[in-house]
Amino acid sequence: MQTSDSIVIIPTYNEKENIENIIRAVFGLEKCFHILVIEDNSPDGTADIVRRLQKEFPERLFMIERKGKLGLGTAYITGFKWSIEHGYDYVFEMDADFSHNPNDLPRLYKACHDDGADVSIGSRYVSGVNVVNWPMGRVLMSYFASKYVRFITGLPIHDTTAGFVCYRRKVLETIHLDRIRFKGYAFQIEMKFTAYKCGFHITEVPVIFINRELGTSKMNSSIFGEAVFGVIQLKWDSWFKKYPKNSN
């Protein structure tokens, strides 16, 4: 059995073009990572591919199958709870479509394991704008959305909507996961904001974000709108809410 202190959570919906390649890429790294796929009943057969690969990687590849598309945030919350129950010390969020480079996983791990961060973020904007093959309109929308979120919330983070993240287990144990309200990209903001308000140390690791080549993007205006308008409610609530504090 290949044990690991780290698990990578990958939510999937219609990712048959990518899922096998991303799993093999993660398992091909020198450091041993485990993978938990949160599968939302993809009609394209994504789950069948994962089940086949589980026979090849029985001790490293796990899957939770849900009844349908229940939102990115609920997928990660489900994965976080499972990871805590199974004793992983470092829990990663990563997309299935190679927009997040698996080769950056060890760098995010090092930032937490060796360098003392509680949360490490694969950041597109900490060293300029590191995005490849996105339409300029989407680049500008994403970049200025992060600026806007930083201005409203006071988060000292350049890439507030990033979905490539490593959390120490103690962060996920401290945050009241059932109180995280947002399901779309605002989920990413709320998790970072809550970790920050709880007193955890957050660092950004520069990465290059590459737009997916295969499959269909899940981004839409309603998801983006939640991120833009939800932060106002998030900031308002923070004036009255008591956050659990990092004990270390």
Side-chain angles (χ1 to χ4, degrees):
M1 179 178 179
Q2 287 186 290
T3 60
S4 178
D5 61 353
S6 303
I7 190 156
V8 181
I9 302 172
I10 304 178
T12 56
Y13 183 78
N14 286 347
E15 291 289 356
K16 68 176 183 180
E17 296 96 342
N18 295 303
I19 191 62
E20 179 167 357
N21 290 335
I22 197 75
I23 288 171
R24 292 192 182 278
V26 173
F27 288 162
L29 296 170
E30 182 176 351
K31 172 174 168 49
C32 178
F33 291 91
H34 289 181
I35 293 175
L36 172 63
V37 174
I38 309 294
E39 218 306 288
D40 275 3
N41 198 25
S42 302
D44 72 346
T46 298
D48 293 332
I49 297 171
V50 177
R51 278 192 287 270
R52 171 172 56 82
L53 291 170
Q54 282 183 299
K55 297 176 183 178
E56 184 177 347
F57 305 104
E59 305 292 346
R60 299 182 67 183
L61 178 59
F62 309 94
M63 177 167 63
I64 295 174
E65 295 185 68
R66 307 199 300 174
K67 295 181 179 180
K69 292 182 71 175
L70 302 175
L72 181 72
T74 64
Y76 277 126
I77 294 296
T78 297
F80 291 158
K81 290 179 177 180
W82 188 96
S83 302
I84 292 170
E85 289 171 4
H86 288 79
Y88 291 94
D89 293 322
Y90 302 92
V91 182
F92 295 75
E93 299 179 1
M94 192 174 77
D95 290 347
D97 60 8
F98 284 94
S99 56
H100 303 146
N101 187 340
N103 291 327
D104 289 323
L105 285 169
R107 297 172 62 226
L108 296 182
Y109 175 79
K110 179 180 180 296
C112 288
H113 182 268
D114 298 339
D115 300 337
D118 298 309
V119 181
S120 59
I121 300 167
S123 176
R124 297 164 289 186
Y125 306 130
V126 71
S127 59
V129 179
N130 295 322
V131 178
V132 178
N133 292 336
W134 259 11
M136 182 54 66
R138 186 171 174 185
V139 172
L140 293 173
M141 182 172 66
S142 173
Y143 178 77
F144 284 109
S146 279
K147 289 286 190 182
Y148 163 80
V149 171
R150 187 174 181 177
F151 174 75
I152 295 294
T153 63
L155 265 174
I157 297 170
H158 293 85
D159 195 349
T160 54
T161 62
F164 194 19
V165 185
C166 173
Y167 292 98
R168 283 182 180 264
R169 182 174 65 187
K170 67 178 181 179
V171 178
L172 301 178
E173 289 176 332
T174 301
I175 291 174
H176 297 308
L177 292 173
D178 288 331
R179 297 182 185 176
I180 300 296
R181 70 175 69 185
F182 293 116
K183 295 182 178 181
Y185 273 35
F187 164 81
Q188 303 291 4
I189 301 167
E190 186 175 6
M191 284 294 298
K192 297 177 185 68
F193 183 73
T194 305
Y196 171 68
K197 295 294 285 186
C198 289
F200 288 105
H201 173 48
I202 303 173
T203 192
E204 291 184 87
V205 177
V207 300
I208 296 175
F209 182 96
I210 300 175
N211 195 29
R212 68 161 63 232
E213 294 183 2
L214 301 174
T216 303
S217 172
K218 312 304 188 295
M219 171 67 85
N220 59 52
S221 58
S222 64
I223 290 174
F224 190 79
E226 181 193 59
V228 171
F229 297 110
V231 295
I232 298 174
Q233 186 66 45
L234 195 64
K235 180 62 176 178
W236 173 265
D237 291 347
S238 73
W239 291 335
F240 309 100
K241 181 178 178 180
K242 289 186 177 180
Y243 292 86
K245 291 300 180 182
N246 174 19
S247 58
N248 294 335

